[in-house]
């Protein structure tokens, strides 16, 4: 991150107007964030209450990060498949992919999470039970229980499918942004449709959609807080539990927001670094 | 030429509609092995569409196409098999911008022809030598001039050892000073005995390299003749009109 300060403007005593101008151009928002960050970090080490809250919330950091990474990776995979489906000439595949994307885009993520947890999971378990009963009565599949599917798995699946719908449109846009001539050239060399996709179209498309894919990774980190509604103990859930027991709101929420901000900031930098690296390696 | 040899390309009564527009209307053509056919005609005459039907980049609405004795069907295996035997060069080059010149040439060799990396690279270097730019192997298309890009595209097609080469207005997107370097490569190729079908506006190339010239207008073949006859004594009025407009 670069600070847009100008050394020419900052010469002291040149004139009052220039000094005010210099002040106005300082990135105050960043200074404010840094200050808040320093104060909170300091508080964690010196203030008993803040250090207690931090020790509670830190138990959820690993959950937050792993939910984010796992759900995101599955979402990108679903997005790739969905995107390929959206550009497919096969009517069945196209319609299935479009149905998926439209349903996902029209239903709030929170509602989707409830659906996966309390409708789709029991439904799938029931289906597996029926299948298991038919194949091997009393076997493992037949005796599968709803309780065996942890909330964590349900909510990660829900987030993955929700984001997968958005990533599908990102992939579709990326694929469609590559000129028709590329596919024609690949096909005229004897490549199959899928070979042309894999070796010619997708490598170019993915490079183009890296920025939105990276943004969605950061968004996923924030939306991972939704897992708390199913009692999965990420940092949001840890904060809720602590507040419910202690009625200490402001410091807890300060600490929660501080943790999210630090993580998204670090992730944004990582994403930016990956983008520049991938951008440099090709043309 | 062996008289019993079957023609390389046979097109029978080809038609192609785009919606209600008839782009190609009942075209029949035969190209013997080792011959160079140049198709000329005003824009919108359907010449590019005929060319694109030969390797099924356009699906014919009706008619038959035979390539090297194999009839073109809608079957994907059949289409891919024929495409591997038919090289195509496009007006816009269509090089793969994320790959170097060498990688552009080795990609299809490896995944379609199943050649090993070393063999594919050897062939690629050989073809780059042939089109006169061996030193550009590790350069990305974006750093090449239009003429160089088109020559890499020709090398890419040749590396597949095609029996036929199709050229779809290969010099129309080039700056004037780069047209010659591409035409020279095509001229050499014609001399080497490659079967070629070329859609072009380059009358000089048509005169020098063609065995036969086909003049198309409004989706149909107006006239077929040798270059000498075509330019000195065109039979059809429409051909004469076209030539008078183009040869100023």
């Amino acid at each position: 991150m670069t600070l847009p300060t100008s050394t020419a403007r900052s010469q002291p005593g040149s004139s009052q107007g220039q000094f005010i101008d210099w002040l106005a151009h300082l990135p105050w928002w960043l200074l404010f964030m840094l200050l808040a960050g320093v104060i909170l970090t300091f508080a964690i080490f010196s203030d008993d209450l803040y250090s207690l809250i931090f020790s509670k919330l830190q138990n959820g950091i690993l959950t937050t990060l792993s939910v984010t990474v796992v759900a995101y990776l599955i979402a990108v995979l679903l997005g790739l498949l969905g995107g390929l489906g959206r550009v497919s000439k096969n009517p069945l595949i196209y319609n299935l992919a479009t149905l998926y994307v439209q349903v996902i885009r029209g239903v709030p993520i929170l509602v989707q999470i409830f659906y996966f947890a309390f409708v789709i999971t029991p439904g799938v378990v029931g289906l597996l039970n029926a299948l298991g009963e038919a194949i091997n009565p009393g076997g493992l599949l037949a005796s599968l229980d709803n309780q065996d599917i942890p909330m964590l798995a349900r909510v990660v699946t829900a987030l993955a499918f929700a984001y997968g719908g958005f990533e599908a449109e990102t992939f579709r846009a990326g694929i469609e942004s590559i000129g028709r001539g590329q596919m024609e050239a690949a096909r005229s060399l004897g490549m199959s449709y899928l070979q042309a996709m894999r070796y010619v179209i997708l490598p170019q498309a993915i490079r183009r959609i890296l920025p939105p894919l990276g943004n969605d990774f950061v968004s996923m980190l924030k939306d991972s807080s939704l897992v708390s509604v199913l009692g999965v103990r990420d940092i949001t859930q840890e904060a809720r539990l602590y507040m419910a027991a202690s009625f200490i709101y402001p410091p807890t929420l300060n600490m929660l927001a501080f943790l999210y901000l630090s993580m998204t900031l670090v992730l944004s930098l990582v994403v930016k670094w990956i983008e520049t690296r991938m951008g440099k390696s090709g043309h | 030429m062996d008289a019993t040899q079957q023609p390389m390309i046979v097109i029978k009564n080809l038609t192609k509609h785009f919606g209600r527009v008839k782009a190609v209307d009942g075209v029949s053509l035969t190209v013997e092995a080792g011959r160079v056919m140049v198709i000329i005609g005003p824009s919108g005459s359907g010449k590019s569409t005929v060319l694109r039907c030969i390797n099924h980049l356009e699906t014919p609405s009706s008619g038959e196409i035979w390539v090297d004795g194999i009839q073109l069907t809608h079957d994907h295996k059949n289409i891919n098999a024929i495409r591997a035997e038919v090289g195509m060069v496009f007006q816009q080059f269509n090089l793969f911008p994320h790959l170097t010149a060498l990688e552009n040439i080795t990609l299809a060799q490896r995944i379609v022809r199943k050649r090993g990396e070393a063999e594919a690279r050897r062939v690629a270097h050989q073809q780059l030598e042939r089109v006169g730019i061996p030193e550009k192997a590790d350069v990305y298309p974006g750093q090449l001039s239009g003429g160089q890009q088109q020559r890499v595209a020709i090398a890419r097609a040749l590396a597949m050892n095609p029996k036929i080469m199709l050229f779809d207005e290969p010099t129309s997107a080039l700056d004037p000073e780069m047209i010659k370097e591409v035409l020279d490569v095509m001229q050499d190729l014609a001399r080497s005995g490659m079967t070629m079908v070329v859609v072009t506006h380059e009358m000089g190339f048509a005169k020098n390299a063609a065995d036969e010239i086909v003049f198309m207008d409004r989706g149909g073949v107006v006239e077929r003749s040798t270059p000498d006859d075509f330019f000195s004594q065109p039979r059809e009025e429409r051909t004469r009109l076209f030539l008078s407009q183009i040869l100023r």
Side-chain angles (χ1 to χ4, degrees):
Chain A
M1 207 159 291
T2 53
L3 305 179
T5 50
S6 149
T7 43
R9 277 189 193 143
S10 60
Q11 280 167 4
S14 52
S15 93
Q16 203 182 0
Q18 270 181 345
F19 181 66
I20 290 172
D21 199 39
W22 176 73
L23 278 181
H25 281 83
L26 279 178
W28 290 102
W29 60 273
L30 184 68
L31 295 180
F32 183 81
M33 270 173 65
L34 284 174
L35 185 68
V38 167
I39 291 173
L40 272 165
T41 313
F42 184 70
I44 290 170
F45 291 107
S46 59
D47 186 279
D48 283 346
L49 180 59
Y50 271 94
S51 101
L52 174 69
I53 295 173
F54 180 74
S55 71
K56 297 277 181 199
L57 295 200
Q58 69 169 356
N59 296 326
I61 290 179
L62 196 63
T63 304
T64 291
L65 286 177
S66 51
V67 163
T68 304
V69 171
V70 174
Y72 182 76
L73 289 179
I74 303 173
V76 168
L77 194 70
L78 287 170
L80 173 61
L81 293 175
L84 286 173
R86 292 275 286 149
V87 299
S88 171
K89 289 199 174 62
N90 180 318
L92 178 71
I93 295 175
Y94 169 80
N95 277 291
L96 278 176
T98 307
L99 180 69
Y100 166 54
V101 168
Q102 294 300 348
V103 168
I104 291 294
R105 290 209 299 186
V107 178
I109 295 185
L110 185 57
V111 177
Q112 289 181 44
I113 288 176
F114 288 140
Y115 240 93
F116 264 90
F118 305 122
V119 178
I120 295 178
T121 304
V124 170
V125 167
L127 200 73
L128 288 176
N129 286 160
L131 257 169
E133 202 62 50
I135 302 166
N136 176 21
L140 181 69
L141 272 185
S143 54
L144 199 63
D145 193 81
N146 265 333
Q147 308 290 320
D148 297 338
I149 315 292
M151 283 298 170
L152 180 65
R154 302 183 198 195
V155 81
V156 165
T157 316
L159 278 175
F161 270 86
Y163 267 66
F166 292 99
E167 304 314 348
E169 284 304 83
T170 307
F171 272 97
R172 181 189 60 76
I175 291 168
E176 286 179 346
S177 78
I178 306 299
R180 228 167 68 108
Q182 291 290 308
M183 177 58 91
E184 288 186 348
R187 299 306 300 277
S188 76
L189 288 164
M191 289 184 219
S192 69
Y193 177 82
L194 286 179
Q195 284 174 332
M197 268 293 166
R198 168 161 174 215
Y199 294 105
V200 177
I201 308 296
L202 283 177
Q204 297 179 58
I206 287 172
R207 208 162 280 166
R208 277 190 201 179
I209 61 173
L210 271 179
L213 283 183
N215 284 342
D216 285 351
F217 188 44
V218 176
S219 295
M220 180 69 98
L221 179 78
K222 292 183 287 174
D223 278 342
S224 75
S225 64
L226 289 168
V227 305
S228 63
V229 298
L230 294 186
V232 172
R233 296 180 72 156
D234 72 330
I235 53 175
T236 304
Q237 180 64 4
E238 294 290 353
R240 287 173 62 185
L241 289 174
Y242 181 71
M243 289 187 291
S246 65
F247 300 105
I248 298 173
Y249 289 97
T252 314
L253 287 172
N254 284 346
M255 184 58 69
L256 183 61
F258 169 68
L259 283 179
Y260 275 116
L261 255 174
S262 325
M263 285 192 285
T264 50
L265 205 68
V266 171
L267 273 188
S268 308
L269 292 176
V270 170
V271 164
K272 199 165 265 174
W273 178 75
I274 292 174
E275 273 167 25
T276 28
R277 239 184 53 126
M278 299 265 301
K280 267 182 201 154
S281 69
H283 297 262
Chain B
M1 180 164 303
D2 185 358
T4 60
Q5 203 176 350
Q6 64 186 353
M8 234 358 160
I9 304 170
V10 177
I11 300 172
K12 283 184 194 164
N13 225 353
L14 176 73
T15 61
K16 172 68 185 175
H17 310 260
F18 292 107
R20 305 183 67 175
V21 182
K22 239 181 196 178
V24 177
D25 190 4
V27 166
S28 299
L29 291 170
T30 306
V31 186
E32 304 291 340
R35 309 272 283 178
V36 177
M37 175 185 279
V38 171
I39 306 178
I40 61 179
S43 57
S45 60
K47 51 196 194 305
S48 283
T49 309
V50 170
L51 199 72
R52 290 162 60 84
C53 281
I54 296 176
N55 67 352
H56 218 281
L57 282 183
E58 303 289 353
T59 310
S61 303
S62 70
E64 288 175 18
I65 295 176
W66 299 71
V67 175
D68 196 23
I70 305 167
Q71 186 173 5
L72 203 54
T73 63
H74 297 301
D75 175 59
H76 288 292
K77 280 216 174 77
N78 166 285
I79 292 169
N80 287 342
I82 284 181
R83 279 177 180 155
E85 306 299 328
V86 181
M88 176 112 179
V89 175
F90 299 87
Q91 183 177 347
Q92 301 295 339
F93 329 134
N94 294 345
L95 290 179
F96 308 136
H98 61 301
L99 301 177
T100 64
L102 191 86
E103 289 163 346
N104 261 278
I105 305 174
T106 55
L107 180 64
Q109 290 189 67
R110 287 192 288 112
I111 62 180
V112 179
R113 284 271 186 251
K114 312 282 184 208
R115 288 180 189 152
E117 178 72 31
E119 165 76 354
R121 290 174 69 94
R122 192 185 60 73
V123 173
H125 280 298
Q126 199 181 319
Q127 294 301 340
L128 279 174
E129 191 87 42
R130 183 176 185 175
V131 299
I133 39 174
E135 74 283 4
K136 299 293 184 188
D138 298 318
V139 172
Y140 284 93
Q143 298 159 279
L144 294 171
S145 73
Q148 290 168 337
Q149 287 191 52
Q150 192 61 299
R151 285 192 279 163
V152 172
I154 293 173
R156 177 174 71 177
L158 288 175
M160 299 294 285
N161 301 108
K163 293 176 175 158
I164 300 164
M165 285 285 286
L166 307 176
F167 293 84
D168 189 3
E169 304 202 23
T171 56
S172 297
L174 293 177
D175 291 337
E177 73 270 22
M178 290 168 189
I179 291 176
K180 188 174 174 296
E181 64 188 54
V182 171
L183 290 180
D184 285 348
V185 170
M186 291 168 62
Q187 198 87 255
D188 283 346
L189 199 57
R191 257 182 247 122
S192 76
M194 175 66 75
T195 310
M196 292 164 62
V197 182
V198 184
V199 169
T200 186
H201 296 294
E202 291 298 325
M203 294 305 141
F205 176 82
K207 241 178 222 170
N208 296 329
D211 294 302
E212 183 174 35
I213 292 184
V214 172
F215 177 65
M216 283 186 67
D217 192 16
R218 293 183 202 154
V221 173
V222 176
E223 180 165 350
R224 303 175 60 168
S225 52
T226 62
D228 285 346
D229 288 350
F230 184 82
F231 288 107
S232 58
Q233 42 194 340
R235 291 188 298 270
E236 302 291 330
E237 182 55 38
R238 262 194 283 172
T239 315
R240 277 194 284 274
L241 185 66
F242 179 74
L243 285 176
S244 72
Q245 282 164 345
I246 203 166
L247 302 171
R248 272 153 303 179

